[in-house]
Amino acid sequence: MMRFTANRSELLPILRRCSLTIGRRFESRELSCVLMEADAKTNTVMFTARSKGCVLQIRHGCRVEQEGKALLFAAVFQRMLELFSDEATTVATDDRRIEVRNAKSAYEFALMDVGKYPKADQPAPEQLLDCENFSEISTKVLFSAARGESTRPQLKCVRLQVHDGRFSASSCDGYRMTVASDTAAQDAPLDVLIEADQMKTLLAVFRGIPHCKIGTGDGKVLFIGPGLVFTATLASYGALNLDTLLTSFRADSALHLDGAAFNAELRRIGVGHSAGASVILQTAGGVLRLSYISADKQPLTSESEVPAEIDTLLPKEGFCYNYSYLREAAALVQGSAAQICFDSKGTMQLSTEHETHILMPKRMPQVNATTKKKKAA
């Protein structure tokens, strides 16, 4: 038996975060549900949602009339709350059913066995680090983590570190690498590797929450916000040492430009772009020239220029890059003044005060030449 009452406007954000955690990969009926545990002594309800490798727990103050436990499909519960018009919402169970009631509406469901829901054990972290800008920094690097089954697992992760007074996040898919950092609130060391899918879920749950604390213990990492704890399983393999990519980079060409202008021109030249499109970068007369080439059988081409302060010119033929990858990199620096450096082989380093992105070049597109055969005399 369980019975509690809470405000609809307070329950709805909780259920949205629970639904984001559960996602669409349902392993069982019970795991697609939110577990509610009402405590009459503290007048609180603990909401628990989980997915592969992740557990979200949110404790919320409610008027608890009878304590107990119950399961309810998270997506269905969220939809009911979105349709309710009044604040007071009551959740109650008896021996065989669960009821959700608002002023003019009531829904009943068959009661599920809470014993089939896995127990969520939270490790006791050795220390907690304040990370005020965790979401902002981590979001900047998520796009360059690898995808696909045939990729090395270390490349499908995001690495979080606190070192030398900086909090940083980094990712790499073998063709590009992104590092974003800012001043750390605390200087205690931190080095964790989290799968990108779990990080994506975590960032969705923490959207709108600017401050969190991070702790580790028992092979897990905890992200603690106001009234909520998100637990993710640490990757079981060691992180790749990406620092060598930064320390070994030797610039042969360099220029400075406005990140917003660079991003805008890249978007403009690629209207209707296709997968596999390329962009060639060349320098001339105080501008960076962008030449877009689609990957179609009959290629679409377009050109644009971005004003730039050129320190060292690129080779005359320039360098070629994956258009989609370069656009994602440009979006990373669109609000800042950016520096772009190139080594002798065309590896690009795009950087601002807080972000560094390294992008490998691709081969120049080949022009298809058609030749006619001469008939024998």
Side-chain angles (χ1 to χ4, degrees):
M1 303 287 287
M2 178 191 74
R3 185 180 182 87
F4 69 87
T5 302
N7 289 334
R8 165 195 169 275
S9 59
E10 295 173 350
L11 287 177
L12 188 52
I14 294 173
L15 265 298
R16 285 173 177 161
R17 288 188 166 94
C18 288
S19 295
L20 286 169
T21 302
I22 294 168
R24 297 180 180 273
R25 290 180 288 188
F26 303 147
E27 298 177 13
S28 67
R29 294 174 71 250
E30 288 76 19
L31 290 179
S32 65
C33 292
V34 56
L35 173 65
M36 296 169 285
E37 301 173 272
D39 186 348
K41 294 180 181 178
T42 60
N43 249 355
T44 60
V45 177
M46 177 72 82
F47 298 85
T48 302
R50 60 170 63 239
S51 62
K52 186 179 180 181
C54 303
V55 179
L56 172 66
Q57 292 188 302
I58 304 176
R59 187 178 295 277
H60 183 66
C62 304
R63 183 161 62 86
V64 179
E65 299 175 33
Q66 262 187 312
E67 61 182 29
K69 300 179 181 181
L71 290 171
L72 187 58
F73 292 109
V76 176
F77 195 2
Q78 176 186 334
R79 183 60 177 157
M80 286 188 291
L81 293 172
E82 290 171 342
L83 294 173
F84 285 162
S85 57
D86 295 288
E87 278 294 289
T89 301
T90 301
V91 181
T93 66
D94 58 19
D95 293 335
R96 58 187 181 84
R97 61 182 181 168
I98 180 170
E99 178 188 77
V100 181
R101 180 177 293 275
N102 199 256
K104 298 179 181 179
S105 304
Y107 297 88
E108 291 185 1
F109 304 89
L111 203 62
M112 285 188 280
D113 183 4
V114 296
K116 294 182 179 180
Y117 197 87
K119 187 177 180 181
D121 293 324
Q122 286 184 359
E126 298 177 0
Q127 61 181 357
L128 290 174
L129 300 179
D130 287 313
C131 296
E132 296 182 2
N133 47 6
F134 152 74
S135 293
E136 179 185 355
I137 291 175
S138 301
T139 300
K140 291 178 179 179
V141 308
L142 187 60
F143 73 92
S144 60
R147 304 173 183 88
E149 295 297 326
S150 60
T151 309
R152 295 176 67 181
Q154 292 95 328
L155 299 178
K156 296 190 286 186
C157 294
V158 173
R159 186 180 188 183
L160 302 179
Q161 293 176 282
V162 175
H163 58 93
D164 300 328
R166 307 284 292 181
F167 172 69
S168 67
S170 60
S171 64
C172 177
D173 67 0
Y175 300 96
R176 52 185 174 168
M177 180 188 80
T178 306
V179 179
S181 65
D182 204 347
T183 304
Q186 296 172 250
D187 204 20
L190 175 74
D191 192 348
V192 296
L193 192 66
I194 306 171
E195 292 184 5
D197 286 345
Q198 294 186 29
M199 179 62 74
K200 185 177 180 180
T201 301
L202 170 62
L203 293 174
V205 169
F206 268 80
R207 185 174 290 119
I209 301 177
H211 178 81
C212 83
K213 293 185 177 182
I214 302 178
T216 58
D218 195 25
K220 300 182 184 299
V221 56
L222 282 71
F223 299 84
I224 303 174
L228 64 86
V229 179
F230 187 98
T231 306
T233 303
L234 288 171
S236 58
Y237 24 77
L240 297 175
N241 183 11
L242 303 178
D243 294 337
T244 55
L245 288 175
L246 297 172
T247 57
S248 63
F249 184 86
R250 296 292 180 266
D252 288 305
S253 304
L255 57 92
H256 300 263
L257 47 68
D258 179 77
F262 184 44
N263 183 59
E265 291 306 317
L266 274 172
R267 291 176 62 88
R268 184 174 291 113
I269 63 171
V271 173
H273 83 275
S274 58
S278 305
V279 59
I280 298 173
L281 303 187
Q282 297 169 295
T283 49
V287 297
L288 176 65
R289 182 174 296 123
L290 315 174
S291 301
Y292 170 85
I293 305 172
S294 72
D296 302 323
K297 291 182 179 179
Q298 296 181 337
L300 167 70
T301 61
S302 57
E303 292 187 357
S304 186
E305 295 178 346
V306 183
E309 180 183 331
I310 300 172
D311 297 335
T312 313
L313 291 170
L314 286 168
K316 183 178 179 181
E317 66 276 10
F319 295 114
C320 182
Y321 302 93
N322 179 290
Y323 173 75
S324 297
Y325 283 4
L326 187 56
R327 249 187 67 169
E328 288 176 323
L332 180 71
V333 300
Q334 61 180 317
S336 311
Q339 180 186 45
I340 308 180
C341 298
F342 307 83
D343 70 7
S344 59
K345 296 181 180 179
T347 301
M348 173 195 297
Q349 180 175 285
L350 176 64
S351 58
T352 68
E353 181 182 0
H354 298 290
E355 300 91 18
T356 299
H357 183 82
I358 290 181
L359 178 60
M360 304 296 289
K362 59 184 293 189
R363 290 182 179 180
M364 285 284 185
Q366 298 296 315
V367 177
N368 293 325
T370 57
T371 59
K372 295 182 179 180
K373 290 185 178 180
K374 292 184 178 181
K375 293 182 179 181

